[in-house]
Amino acid sequence: MTSNLWIGTPGALYKIDQAATSFDRSAELGVSEFKSLGGRVTITRTAATARRMKIGWDRLPAADARVLDRLARRIDGPGPLVLIDPAAGNVLGAAQAAGRGAAGATDTTGLQQWFKVSTTGTVAEIGAAPGTFAFTAADATSKVAWRCVPWAGNFPVAPGARISFRAPTAFAALGTVAVNIDFKKADGSYLSGPSATGAYVAAPVPAGAVYATPCATPGAAGTYALAGACLTYDDGAADNVPGDGLPAMSVTAYSDTPGRPLPYRSISLDLVEVASAVG
């Protein structure tokens, strides 16, 4: 996981070096509890919940405070914002990291987490387990890639940061596996890409890169489960780390307190996961 927090819009991510003095990233479970007169408890849960975060800094340098102030007040546009969480060990989605998706999804009916890069190979449900997906390699050249659904398919990155990727557990067991990370420009065009023989690759983000797409090649024909993959913004992507996701966020509350001595400022932000940010 990264030791720094990055925040901003794709192509304009800003690094906050100073550690936050308060950081609440507790998951919102969406659970409601009902207790009957007889004392029995029934719970209901919403199908999807929004991620919320509350972050605060004491005595931030003026340059960092100005950036956060501009983002909170939407001076440079409505967003939404990328928030690279320093506590996140895997920015793949929770279901994506577990190799799961909507039961019945196909390449043409809502399969959004993965896509084949090569001309051969398919991503499909494993027959005996609805909602569990695998990649079938037709030959040694078959390659699969991971999409970042909240950001139109690509994972936002910042030049100067590092990123690492580990292939799914079933891929990693193969002596023929290879992995790579495709760095891309703002328009999605290919920029460069480190590759490695084996299940793990790590590299610095090059200048001009705005997005990244991790890819894996099993190197042998067969069907391999997609569970266990990991993408992290630093070295150390590891096997079977639960996915935290990389949701699009928007600031819903903001405080700015002049510090002592000036020009230091104490800043706090409340953020929520959004489908879009307008106005």
Side-chain angles (χ1 to χ4, degrees), residues 134-235:
F135 179 63
T136 297
D139 53 44
T141 67
S142 299
K143 181 189 292 189
V144 64
W146 281 253
R147 285 192 178 104
C148 185
V149 177
W151 295 102
N154 296 299
F155 291 86
V157 293
R162 287 185 66 83
I163 190 170
S164 61
F165 174 67
R166 183 174 176 82
T169 306
F171 289 46
L174 302 170
T176 52
V177 65
V179 289
N180 66 281
I181 300 172
D182 290 343
F183 291 116
K184 300 174 181 178
K185 301 177 184 178
D187 61 2
S189 59
Y190 178 79
L191 181 64
S192 66
S195 59
T197 300
Y200 175 84
V201 63
V205 178
V210 175
Y211 297 108
T213 300
C215 310
T217 305
T223 297
Y224 309 100
L226 288 164
C230 180
L231 179 69
T232 189
Y233 286 94
D234 210 336
D235 297 305

Side-chain angles (χ1 to χ4, degrees), residues 63-132:
D64 291 350
R66 283 195 293 266
V67 169
L68 296 176
D69 176 77
R70 293 182 70 92
L71 294 174
R73 295 194 291 132
R74 299 185 174 189
I75 291 174
D76 300 315
L81 302 177
V82 181
L83 178 66
I84 298 176
D85 177 356
N90 187 356
V91 298
L92 298 179
Q96 186 180 39
R100 299 191 61 83
T106 67
D107 286 337
T108 57
T109 61
L111 182 61
Q112 299 179 321
Q113 294 116 306
W114 309 276
F115 66 99
K116 67 176 185 179
V117 180
S118 55
T119 56
T120 61
T122 57
V123 179
E125 283 181 277
I126 299 174
T132 300

Side-chain angles (χ1 to χ4, degrees), residues 3 16 33 51 55 66 92 141 174 203 217 222 270:
S3 57
I16 305 294
E33 181 178 310
R51 176 74 57 86
I55 314 172
R66 283 195 293 266
L92 298 179
T141 67
L174 302 170
T217 305
D270 290 8

